[in-house]
Amino acid sequence: MEQKSDIAIADEARLLPIREVADKLGIGDSVLPWGRAKAKVDCAEIAAARPEANGKLILVTAVSPTPAGEGKTTTTIGLGDALNRIGKRAAMCLREPSLGPCFGMKGGATGGGHSQVVPMADINLHFTGDFHAITTAHNLLAALVDNHLHWGAEPELDPERIAWRRVIDMNDRALRRVRIGIGAGSSGSSGKTSGTPRNSGFDITSTSEIMAIFCLAQDLAELQQRLGAIVVGYCREGKPVTAAELRAPGSMTALLRDALSPNLVQTLENNPAFIHGGPFANIAHGCNSVIATRTALRLADYVVTEAGFGSDLGAEKFFNIKCRSAGFAPDAAVLVATVKALKMHGGVPRQELHGEDCAAVTRGCANLGQHLAILERFGVPALVAVNRHANDSDAEVAAIVEYCREAGVAAVESRHWAEGGVGAVELAQSVVELADSGSANFRLLYEDGLDLWEKTRRIAQTIYGAEDIAAPPEVRDEFARLQGSGYGEFPVCMAKTQYSFSTDPKLLGAPKGHTVEIREVRLAVGAGFVIPICGTIMTMPGLSKSPSAHGIHVAADGTVAGLG
């Protein structure tokens, strides 16, 4: 029998009215419905009623991603459903999908099979408008920067040292580098130009500093304060100019006010899921909002969240940036692996993954082992979830389980994609046992006082297995300038390919002794971190030769087809 598509399964779901979903967490009166199946949540009201956030925090991460897919979001949802199925009060915290991947190569980000959050099309497309609010606030600041230049206002910005680019929530390589402020103005014959001509560019919204601020701010007041701290550029003498000096934070906060309330939806099994914020983990910090996570910890006994891509990116930033900022201490981690992904890390080409190859699985487990070592370095107890697919052989799954047994880590087979929560019950039971064991001893990778270059080196050597880091002299000078300008205590947010521990996306497995090349470093004062940009990673992706957009259409009955 032909397997139904994700969107076909989602369209058949029987959704509860969103207040009934909220009632499962005791907050039916603290939600503002956004249609029948979505809602915004009044976090201030919940915080006043339940000031303690005592839930167990469980992070779901994965091996280094491959085109074969790992199912991290699917596992997060399946685990949440399974926890509720075994009688635990559990909630999920996920990121909002970006339109870039939805219409690009990756597709939607609402899970898959019988472990999805719904309404799937709504969430993957415009949802409650949070991404639009963030994009608009970002570009409002860009407009205010160029208006400041146009009128020659004080402090006088150097047009050659403007750091603030524009953003759009779409993959569009043609916008990576643009020249703005050219052409005749509205007066035509007067000779006025359309602003100050200068070189600039666009990034995707998920990389915006405002997205990071949105996800790290703990309330509206902190949001506005962080927005004001954004450095938009520099004066000719080198002094930084902030958004506050352009009188921008008030209007930006007005655009973001409603968006800052987390979104509540449900799984196919009608369990609560918070979806809020959407930074990528390869070119941003890759975690959902602090506000949503803390709200969930106030309401649920177990909160299952995810961080983007593998543990070298999303989990490292979850620990070193999000937990450092918010004071969270995770109780357990789940590392997701699939047979196909480990085969690819073991050297099998994608087109040959269908055949049984236990030796390749075992070779690929070197990647799994390095990810387990990363989690151990942070003092977070972990287990491995083997996301089972129909074509996986028992022997291949057994090879993963045996590798984990020898490494002293439990590995649990899970069939949530095909069976929903019931297929992840054993995983849920194991996670509860691990989270309740008290064995977590969470610790950060580096202290605030370590200088920026050494923080970057420690991540490269300890997390990526690199020999060292390297950068051109002008980038080393910029590190030194940032260090000497009072930003030395910031954490670092690495921008690097997700496909490898190295900066070469084709170098799979667990490479050692490589050098992490840093081509640029950016400052994000409002977010509170610096961003070393490594290798050839781009902050504005491009579309593939055959993007997902080609297969999406609207049926005669108005439903969206081909999404997911």
Side-chain angles (χ1 to χ4, degrees), residues 422-443:
V422 70
V425 164
E426 183 182 354
L427 175 63
Q429 292 168 335
S430 298
V431 167
V432 168
E433 182 179 354
L434 189 63
D436 289 350
S437 68
S439 58
N441 183 25
F442 177 63
R443 53 189 176 270

Side-chain angles (χ1 to χ4, degrees), residues 191-319:
K192 288 184 66 177
T193 65
S194 300
T196 302
R198 62 184 182 87
N199 294 324
S200 188
F202 282 71
D203 297 320
I204 194 165
T205 298
S206 291
T207 73
S208 167
E209 183 177 353
I210 294 177
M211 176 66 81
I213 289 169
F214 181 90
C215 289
L216 291 169
Q218 304 196 43
D219 53 37
L220 204 59
E222 183 181 342
L223 176 75
Q224 184 158 306
Q225 177 270 321
R226 283 177 175 265
L227 292 173
I230 292 170
V231 172
V232 299
Y234 298 86
C235 296
R236 295 186 189 278
E237 63 271 21
K239 176 181 175 295
V241 178
T242 66
E245 291 176 280
L246 271 58
R247 296 185 292 174
S251 54
M252 295 165 69
T253 304
L255 287 169
L256 296 168
R257 182 195 62 176
D258 293 340
L260 195 62
S261 296
N263 308 296
L264 179 69
V265 294
Q266 62 193 287
T267 68
L268 294 175
E269 298 184 15
N270 308 124
N271 292 312
F274 294 94
I275 302 183
H276 199 222
F280 293 162
N282 54 350
I283 49 180
H285 81 282
C287 307
N288 76 300
S289 77
V290 166
I291 288 179
T293 303
R294 197 180 304 282
T295 299
L297 289 168
R298 288 188 166 109
L299 300 172
D301 297 324
Y302 297 89
V303 174
V304 187
T305 190
E306 53 82 41
F309 298 122
S311 71
D312 57 320
L313 289 169
E316 183 270 314
K317 296 169 184 179
F318 176 83
F319 298 140

Side-chain angles (χ1 to χ4, degrees), residues 7-8 10-12 121-122 125 552-563:
I7 198 163
D11 285 344
E12 293 174 0
D122 289 11
L125 298 177
I552 297 171
H553 64 279
V554 179
D557 64 356
T559 58
V560 178
L563 185 65

Side-chain angles (χ1 to χ4, degrees), residues 23-48:
D23 281 337
K24 294 186 176 186
L25 296 174
I27 56 168
D29 294 330
S30 298
V31 297
L32 176 65
W34 194 281
R36 184 177 181 275
K38 310 184 292 286
K40 285 285 186 181
V41 175
D42 188 338
C43 294
E45 184 175 295
I46 293 168

